[in-house]
Structure formats: structure tokens, C-alpha cells
Amino acid sequence: MSRFVRRSLLLAVLALVAVPFTAVGSGAQQLSEFTVTVKKVVVGTGGPSAVTVDCNSAQDEAAAQVVDVLNFDAQGNPVASGADTDFAIEGGAWVLEGSPGGGFECTFTETTTGGASSTAWTCAYTFTPISTPTASQIELAGCDAAAGAGVGPVDVTYPGSGDVSEQASTVVFTNTFGSAPLDPIQPAAQVVAQPVFTG
């Protein structure tokens, strides 16, 4: 299944119309815009890692689902694996942009830590509500929690385009690696004074 088709299933079929991710002409209702960003911070010297993103329709879990594995190198930079993904690499992060359709929920989990001695995460969410009486349940939008220890899961709820005009989330996983062991201190060579004989 192509990237465009999978993205349409997640972001447009929810609204029952398959639409491209472009602004519509003047006079028509503009599509709701959203941005999902996933970043990695590495403290110390580590190894490659990965974050799995699992998204489902908020209205019908069976309607559309996207599961992507986002890879990072040992320095925390996103790395394309060649596998088909809905995310793109932008500005040192994995980014997904488009329209949320009828709304959806995503779970972010670090599935490979690269041997980190400790992991933690943060989640930030912003949105602009539509100023109409029909906008509802937007108080449930966003991150379930702002921060936590471990590999997740990090849950984020994205309302549909009927509730918000734009929204964005940023999930950051931090991997901390212990410092390399120091070489053991070698004792100084023992100096033995030789006796001096005088005649």
C-alpha cells in the first residue's frame, strides 16, 4: 500500500472523503492542519534506537490504522530505513503533516533504546479551537501526560477538523548512556635505592 493511500486512510477517509494535503480554494472551507513531531535526544555515547507510532481513528478503531517505525542513529538523528512511512525527516526530527479528518489517537513507544542506561520522554501539544458552538470534547485533546520516565507509551489525542483549526504535538525521547569506564590506575613503579659502598 503506497504512502499516499495509507495517509489518506488515516487522515482523509475518517472524514469520508479522500483529499490531497493542499489548501482548498477560496470560498471553500479550509482543511484543518496538524503537525506531529517526534524527536530524540542522546546524552552520552549510545547506539541506534527506534520509536514506534501506532495511530487509530478516534471514531472507529477498525476504520484506519497506521503503524510506523521511526529510526534514529547513535546521535539521535532521524534515519530513513527505506521502509514506507507516513513521516518525513525535517529539521532533525520525524514529522507528519496533513489533516486529522474526524480525529485520531496515537501512541508513541520507544521500542529500541540503543542500550541506554535510562530513558525519559516529554510531550507537548497546542491547538486552536474553532469558535463555533458545535466544537465539543476538545478538553480531551492532547497529551495524556507532559512527561515521564521509561520508554512510554506516550498517548496523544487529536480532535477532528470540526473541533480545531490547527494543532501540533511534539514528543521527545531522551536516552542517557553511562560514561565509558575509566582505565584502572596503574601503581607507580617501585623504586628501590641501591646501597652505596665506600672504601
Side-chain angles (χ1 to χ4, degrees):
M1 182 178 294
S2 72
R3 179 184 304 176
F4 178 79
V5 171
R6 290 201 302 136
R7 186 176 292 179
S8 295
L9 286 174
L10 174 63
L11 306 177
V13 169
L14 300 176
L16 302 179
V17 180
V19 293
F21 302 119
T22 57
V24 296
S26 59
Q29 182 181 3
Q30 185 172 347
L31 290 176
S32 171
E33 296 181 353
F34 83 109
T35 304
V36 178
T37 303
V38 181
K39 295 181 178 180
K40 175 63 63 69
V41 174
V42 173
V43 180
T45 302
S49 59
V51 173
T52 297
V53 184
D54 189 345
C55 299
N56 290 281
S57 164
Q59 298 172 338
D60 181 2
E61 291 188 4
Q65 182 179 20
V66 168
V67 177
D68 280 325
V69 177
L70 310 179
N71 293 303
F72 298 86
D73 65 15
Q75 290 74 45
N77 303 306
V79 177
S81 64
D84 186 27
T85 178
D86 294 289
F87 285 76
I89 297 175
E90 296 179 13
W94 285 103
V95 178
L96 172 65
E97 296 178 315
S99 169
F104 60 100
E105 300 171 350
C106 288
T107 298
F108 305 82
T109 307
E110 186 172 18
T111 46
T112 304
T113 66
S117 56
S118 67
T119 60
W121 55 267
T122 61
C123 183
Y125 174 83
T126 60
F127 72 100
T128 302
I130 293 178
S131 56
T132 64
T134 58
S136 61
Q137 301 301 318
I138 58 175
E139 69 272 10
L140 301 177
C143 308
D144 278 0
V151 297
V154 182
D155 296 315
V156 185
T157 300
Y158 303 91
S161 55
D163 293 326
V164 298
S165 59
E166 58 184 4
Q167 57 187 317
S169 70
T170 300
V171 176
V172 181
F173 286 92
T174 299
N175 290 355
T176 301
F177 298 86
S179 58
L182 299 174
D183 292 332
I185 298 175
Q186 299 293 332
Q190 186 175 7
V191 177
V192 179
Q194 297 296 324
V196 177
F197 297 98
T198 59

